[in-house]
């Protein structure tokens, strides 16, 4: 392996361009060939996600003179650290904040940073739907409920509130069922029947049996940049009531139940040794990357650690079917536009 700045920077210089090219087809017609990002090595730590998210959220809610954008902060820091957040220094972030407070702009500060646009696009694709404006249902003292407008974290941990789980960074570990391959997600160990939560609002693209993932759900974010994969759901009753392909789900909705299905051509079989949710995130910069050898799956371990602060509370809504629903509704402008 060649190590210069990082694999993300190396791949950028080889595969990413900011302009389109024109090809001539066999018929002589001009065809525009789109250039797009072809690889992302996501290694932002939970510490840095927390620090930059807090700056962003606090600056919006406290109406400070300077409003921060955590994606811009992350892209700047990535340039300062060669794309490797193991080299992160808090002084880099503090210096950036002071310069912005003193009237500098992120545009001026990053003009000489060759890879800034690449990092910005990469982190926007991975985290673009996590922070913003939304309305959340709250309980009033008189027992009624109302909606409260907020700016903040509007993405949720995929495990419901008050349910225990454990995990470790297993992205890239070897898997052998079917064929030798790398593990392209994070396994969250828990109890069978634990309600599984939609991390972000989106559209259900895939639902049903997959011999590797068992009963699984694939949800595309509303901006089409993120594809969430939830696998090994519960035998016999894997999904939330009424869920089907084409359904629109909200961030925080119950979408299914943790189980141990998979590793079988035959449907509805428990061949996974330990009950867990396989959670994965694919980044999509161009539709040609979908269902192809060019898929980009990122390490979501740090994202799971970051999302622990925001968990969706649920309750049993149907005693007969044992189906759960979220306790507090959420509304986003993107769902009503």
């Amino acid at each position: 392996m060649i190590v210069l700045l990082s694999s993300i920077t190396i791949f950028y210089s080889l595969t990413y361009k900011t302009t389109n090219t024109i090809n001539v087809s066999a018929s002589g017609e001009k065809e525009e060939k789109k250039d797009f990002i072809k690889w992302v090595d996501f290694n932002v730590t939970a510490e840095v996600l927390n620090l930059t998210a807090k700056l962003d959220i606090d600056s919006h809610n406290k109406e400070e003179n300077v409003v921060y954008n955590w994606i811009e902060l992350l892209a700047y820091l990535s340039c300062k650290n060669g794309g490797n957040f193991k080299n992160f220094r808090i002084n880099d972030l503090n210096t950036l904040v002071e310069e912005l407070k003193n009237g500098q702009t992120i545009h001026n500060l990053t003009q000489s940073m060759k890879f800034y646009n690449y990092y910005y696009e990469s982190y926007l694709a991975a985290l673009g739907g996590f922070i913003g404006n939304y309305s959340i249902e709250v309980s009033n003292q008189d027992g009624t409920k109302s909606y409260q407008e907020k700016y903040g974290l509007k993405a949720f941990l995929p495990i419901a509130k008050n349910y225990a789980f454990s995990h470790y960074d297993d992205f890239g570990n070897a898997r052998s069922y079917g064929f030798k391959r790398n593990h392209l997600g994070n396994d969250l160990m828990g109890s069978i029947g634990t309600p599984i939560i939609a991390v972000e609002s989106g559209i259900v693209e895939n639902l049903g049996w997959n011999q590797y993932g068992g009963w699984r759900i694939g949800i595309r974010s509303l901006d089409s940049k993120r594809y969430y994969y939830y696998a090994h759901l519960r035998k016999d009753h894997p999904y939330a009531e009424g869920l089907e392909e084409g359904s629109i789900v909200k961030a925080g909705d119950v979408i299914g139940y943790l189980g141990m299905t998979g590793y079988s051509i035959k449907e509805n079989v428990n061949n996974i040794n330990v009950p867990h949710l396989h959670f994965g995130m694919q980044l999509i910069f161009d539709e040609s990357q979908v269902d192809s050898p060019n898929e980009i799956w990122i390490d979501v371990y740090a994202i799971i650690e970051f999302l622990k602060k925001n968990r969706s509370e649920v309750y049993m809504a149907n005693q007969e079917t044992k189906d759960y629903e979220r306790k507090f509704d959420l509304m986003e402008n993107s769902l009503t536009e």
Side-chain angles (χ1 to χ4, degrees):
M1 176 182 292
I2 300 173
V3 179
L4 295 176
L5 295 177
S6 75
S7 58
I8 187 171
T9 303
I10 296 167
F11 216 98
Y12 169 88
S13 61
L14 294 176
T15 65
Y16 180 74
K17 300 177 182 178
T18 57
T19 58
N20 293 346
T21 58
I22 303 295
N23 291 342
V24 178
S25 67
S27 63
E29 295 181 355
K30 291 184 178 180
E31 297 177 339
E32 187 175 28
K33 184 179 180 181
K34 210 165 34 171
D35 291 309
F36 51 87
I37 292 175
K38 298 177 175 64
W39 186 253
V40 174
D41 183 9
F42 188 90
N43 57 44
V44 185
T45 64
E47 175 196 10
V48 180
L49 290 174
N50 281 310
L51 288 170
T52 54
K54 187 176 189 307
L55 284 166
D56 184 320
I57 294 168
D58 286 351
S59 70
H60 282 78
N61 290 326
K62 295 179 180 179
E63 298 183 355
E64 297 180 2
N65 292 329
V66 179
V67 175
Y68 304 107
N69 179 316
W70 74 318
I71 305 297
E72 293 176 347
L73 301 179
L74 289 170
Y76 175 93
L77 293 172
S78 199
C79 290
K80 294 289 286 187
N81 293 285
N84 187 351
F85 279 88
K86 290 181 179 179
N87 300 327
F88 169 72
R89 296 179 297 273
I90 188 65
N91 187 55
D92 288 336
L93 179 57
N94 291 338
T95 300
L96 173 59
V97 168
E98 284 303 311
E99 289 179 320
L100 294 172
K101 282 182 178 179
N102 291 331
Q104 285 280 13
T105 66
I106 198 73
H107 174 73
N108 290 337
L109 292 171
T110 60
Q111 275 188 317
S112 63
M113 292 180 168
K114 182 178 180 181
F115 302 113
Y116 175 79
N117 288 338
Y118 168 73
Y119 289 125
Y120 179 83
E121 283 192 47
S122 298
Y123 300 143
L124 183 64
L127 305 167
F130 280 35
I131 290 177
N133 293 300
Y134 65 99
S135 296
I136 191 73
E137 192 178 28
V138 295
S139 295
N140 301 317
Q141 290 184 345
D142 61 2
T144 62
K145 290 185 178 181
S146 59
Y147 283 89
Q148 185 177 73
E149 293 185 4
K150 288 191 174 185
Y151 179 92
L153 182 59
K154 55 178 181 156
F156 292 84
L157 188 80
I159 301 293
K161 187 175 182 179
N162 300 321
Y163 286 83
F165 78 97
S166 64
H167 74 137
Y168 63 96
D169 195 351
D170 54 347
F171 186 83
N173 287 1
R175 294 291 186 270
S176 59
Y177 173 79
F179 62 98
K180 290 184 178 180
R181 63 195 189 282
N182 293 328
H183 186 234
L184 300 178
N186 188 205
D187 287 344
L188 282 61
M189 312 300 174
S191 300
I192 291 178
T194 293
I196 301 304
I197 302 300
V199 169
E200 189 181 347
S201 300
I203 300 173
V204 178
E205 283 194 350
N206 292 292
L207 194 75
W209 183 263
N210 175 293
Q211 67 168 309
Y212 301 98
W215 294 122
R216 91 303 190 208
I217 304 170
I219 298 176
R220 182 83 76 100
S221 63
L222 296 176
D223 66 3
S224 297
K225 294 294 186 181
R226 290 166 297 287
Y227 177 79
Y228 294 97
Y229 183 66
Y230 309 80
H232 308 312
L233 302 182
R234 182 174 60 183
K235 183 179 179 180
D236 297 327
H237 190 171
Y239 307 124
E241 190 174 11
L243 195 72
E244 58 186 26
E245 289 187 8
S247 296
I248 295 177
V249 298
K250 295 180 182 180
D253 280 354
V254 177
I255 56 174
Y257 303 96
L258 187 148
M260 51 194 300
T261 60
Y263 284 15
S264 172
I265 297 175
K266 184 179 178 181
E267 290 188 0
N268 207 35
V269 173
N270 282 337
N271 270 350
I272 301 297
N273 292 329
V274 179
H276 69 271
L277 170 71
H278 170 100
F279 174 70
M281 184 196 293
Q282 178 190 0
L283 303 186
I284 301 169
F285 297 94
D286 187 83
E287 287 302 310
S288 65
Q289 295 173 310
V290 178
D291 294 329
S292 79
N294 302 316
E295 293 176 350
I296 302 174
W297 294 90
I298 63 170
D299 188 344
V300 294
Y301 176 80
I303 291 175
I304 293 296
E305 287 294 297
F306 172 66
L307 291 177
K308 281 182 177 180
K309 66 177 70 175
N310 202 32
R311 304 183 68 172
S312 183
E313 190 171 353
V314 302
Y315 70 99
M316 186 179 291
N318 190 321
Q319 294 287 340
E320 184 176 340
T321 63
K322 308 298 183 187
D323 270 297
Y324 285 78
E325 292 183 6
R326 68 185 307 153
K327 187 173 182 179
F328 300 106
D329 189 24
L330 174 141
M331 295 175 60
E332 295 180 86
N333 289 339
S334 54
L335 289 167
T336 58
E337 292 174 349

